Amino acid sequence: MSTLSIPEQTSHTTKRSVLVVDDHPLLRQGLAMLINQQRDMQVCGEAEEAHSAMQLIAHKRPDVMILDISLRGPDGLELLKSIRASDPDLPVLVLSMHDEAIYAERALRARANGYIMKQEPPDKVLAALRCILNGDVYLSDAVSKKMLQQYIDGTPSMLQSRIATLSDRELEVFRRIGEGHATREIAEELHLSIKTVETYQAHIKEKLSLRSGRELIQHAIQWKLNEKAN
């Protein structure tokens, strides 16, 4: 069941309101406790998937949003694109367990205002929120250095690899394959037809030079294992 939490308004009208969108209840609760302890911020709502998030944005009009990439149904990148179609100015911080080298640039292309890994300490998350509330873009020091070095050297983008050639939707399908989801499950989760998912899988195999569905599954699982190890 979708989570849709709309807390009561408080008297702290000077606090900036934060919407937390993540499919893990414990993480949402932890973020809410952290943020609500601050003098300048408070959580105005929580959601675990795209539909609830869009409802809360319309109802609560948050000042800033924390968004996970891995959600039930359409992922965070797809949700971010939907948000930008209706609210181009809402500051969005992507908070994710996924490799910055693959996802940070995609999040920025989808017009996120910042990207931070879940492994970062709480004070970094708060600093990132305040940074984007001030109208700046937040990236980790490591990613910022990589992007700057590539600009100086004139080298290709960090995403110019075979995985990087996948579209956002293809990468979403690829990630779910690596998590052990079957074609029918992926179709149901993304509200797509099985034929559409199979078309995405065919595109992925072509771009990654994979010869069979078995190779696709093995490659996706290995990629997920490598991502967790980094």
Side-chain angles (χ1 to χ4, degrees), residues 12-53:
H12 301 290
T13 55
T14 59
K15 288 191 174 186
R16 310 299 291 276
S17 58
V18 184
L19 173 61
V20 179
V21 182
D22 192 289
D23 64 346
H24 291 90
L26 286 177
L27 181 64
R28 290 198 307 272
Q29 292 170 15
L31 285 170
M33 288 180 61
L34 173 68
I35 292 167
N36 288 335
Q37 291 172 355
Q38 308 307 306
R39 294 182 177 180
D40 56 341
M41 292 183 284
Q42 66 181 0
V43 171
C44 66
E46 302 172 21
E48 68 179 5
E49 45 77 42
H51 179 68
S52 297

Side-chain angles (χ1 to χ4, degrees), residues 68-189:
D68 187 17
I69 285 180
S70 299
L71 300 176
R72 299 179 183 180
D75 73 0
L77 290 179
E78 291 301 312
L79 172 56
L80 181 54
K81 293 171 187 176
S82 297
I83 292 169
R84 288 300 177 237
S86 59
D87 193 340
D89 299 322
L90 173 64
V92 177
L93 174 67
V94 174
L95 175 67
S96 179
M97 62 177 286
H98 298 298
D99 185 6
E100 287 174 304
I102 295 294
Y103 283 95
E105 193 171 321
R106 289 175 185 264
L108 292 179
R109 286 204 305 263
R111 297 171 61 193
N113 302 86
Y115 190 102
I116 188 170
M117 298 288 287
K118 288 183 177 179
Q119 296 93 317
E120 294 284 0
D123 62 313
K124 285 286 186 71
V125 177
L126 295 173
L129 283 172
R130 293 184 175 109
C131 176
I132 67 173
L133 276 169
N134 286 333
D136 297 320
V137 173
Y138 182 90
L139 287 174
S140 71
D141 292 340
V143 169
S144 297
K145 288 177 181 177
K146 286 180 182 178
M147 288 185 170
L148 179 59
Q149 192 62 51
Q150 287 159 0
Y151 176 78
I152 293 172
D153 296 342
T155 55
S157 165
M158 71 176 75
L159 294 183
Q160 294 308 309
S161 64
R162 285 187 173 182
I163 296 295
T165 65
L166 302 180
S167 70
D168 290 344
R169 184 64 101 177
E170 289 164 355
L171 183 61
E172 183 178 13
V173 170
F174 186 67
R175 174 174 60 79
R176 290 173 190 261
I177 292 171
E179 292 170 350
H181 297 248
T183 300
R184 183 178 295 276
E185 288 179 288
I186 296 172
E188 291 174 354
E189 291 164 356

